[in-house]
Amino acid sequence: MNGSDSRTAAYGLVPADTTEDVRSRGAEVSTQVAVLPVGSFEQHGPYLPLATDTLVACAVAREIAAAYPVHLLPPVTIACSHEHAAWPGTVSISSVTLHAVVRDIADSLRRSGVETLVVVNGHGGNYVLGNVVQESSARGERMALFPAAEDWETALERAGVVTSLLTDMHAGEIETSILLHAHPELIRPGYETSDFVADDRRHLLTLGMSGYTESGVIGRPSLGSAEKGKALLASLADSFGAYFSMVTADA
């Protein structure tokens, strides 16, 4: 545990650090690492909030900040959710805009002495984040994207999640479990009876989610539990150790 209990407890969606907190933490490490949660604002069926992906990304980032000496940033709350446009409440920005926002944040961090940025992605449709990291790394800048599919696979196994990543596409067992643990007060009734499977989604980019589901759900939320959510987050925090070692090596 790198930070004080009070620091960790103070974190909501917006970190409670002061500039002195950041200065003190930076003095204790050879390489400063910032963690940026990126979510979305999109439909998640009738029982999970529009901000689900942001809440998940923030929950993962908080676990990381509780275990590693990182500078936790506030989340990017609107991203690339164009496949959900058929549902009211969904808001998107272009991939070009998201690319520019993350680049600008990384540039700003470097000017203030934070050399490395790790992007914690909570939304599968934010494909452009992979390009941002690829391009930044090619320029010799330190950036990483977390979690990878392999990190999720490890977390599913450790948490006893039954549904595969293919089937658990949206508002399913994983997201419901994490919110049952981290934000149970935000879940509405209905997840217990909303299971829907559509594993063949080869035309998703063309048809959008509405081509595969009427409810907006693809997965098995009825299998979700707070215990699984806690275990998922703990496993992801453990997996982050390899990323932290990589981005701080030979600094």
Side-chain angles (χ1 to χ4, degrees):
M1 186 74 68
N2 72 284
S4 67
D5 290 340
S6 60
R7 172 185 170 236
T8 301
Y11 285 142
L13 286 184
V14 179
D17 277 342
T18 68
T19 189
E20 290 305 317
D21 293 328
V22 178
R23 180 178 285 116
S24 297
R25 195 178 311 120
E28 299 171 357
V29 295
S30 59
T31 301
Q32 294 192 64
V33 178
V35 172
L36 175 67
V38 179
S40 70
F41 198 74
E42 65 188 37
Q43 70 83 21
H44 275 77
Y47 50 87
L48 295 183
L50 294 162
T52 290
D53 289 341
T54 299
L55 294 168
V56 168
C58 286
V60 174
R62 284 197 303 271
E63 290 286 322
I64 290 170
Y68 304 90
V70 298
H71 176 30
L72 180 58
L73 300 174
V76 176
T77 58
I78 297 176
C80 302
S81 301
H82 310 284
E83 70 274 26
H84 298 277
W87 281 269
T90 297
V91 182
S92 290
I93 58 177
S94 72
S95 60
V96 173
T97 299
L98 182 57
H99 189 295
V101 167
V102 176
R103 277 284 312 278
D104 283 355
I105 290 171
D107 290 345
S108 178
L109 286 165
R110 282 192 296 274
R111 287 192 294 271
S112 66
V114 180
E115 302 93 338
T116 301
L117 177 63
V118 178
V119 179
V120 174
N121 183 32
H123 171 50
N126 291 337
Y127 310 114
V128 71
L129 294 177
N131 298 115
V132 178
V133 173
Q134 283 179 323
E135 294 165 15
S136 297
S137 298
R139 288 191 298 270
E141 301 161 3
R142 290 179 179 263
M143 190 180 293
L145 182 62
F146 181 81
E150 292 83 356
D151 302 312
W152 278 115
E153 291 285 5
T154 298
L156 264 60
E157 183 177 353
R158 283 184 51 179
V161 170
V162 176
T163 317
S164 69
L165 284 177
L166 172 65
T167 298
D168 196 75
M169 189 261 188
H170 193 69
E173 185 177 3
I174 294 171
E175 291 181 321
T176 301
S177 293
I178 291 176
L179 261 66
L180 281 170
H181 168 64
H183 297 283
E185 73 282 0
L186 299 180
I187 298 183
R188 309 286 181 90
Y191 72 89
E192 306 91 341
T193 57
S194 293
D195 290 5
F196 182 77
V197 174
D199 283 352
D200 186 344
R201 303 184 297 272
R202 69 187 72 189
H203 303 300
L204 178 67
L205 296 180
T206 301
L207 299 176
M209 284 284 289
S210 61
Y212 294 94
T213 171
E214 293 183 5
S215 67
V217 178
I218 297 180
R220 296 191 177 97
S222 68
L223 300 176
S225 72
E227 293 75 20
K228 290 177 182 178
K230 182 178 181 179
L232 284 166
L233 293 175
S235 177
L236 291 174
D238 289 345
S239 293
F240 185 79
Y243 291 74
F244 186 79
S245 297
M246 175 183 65
V247 298
T248 59
D250 301 321

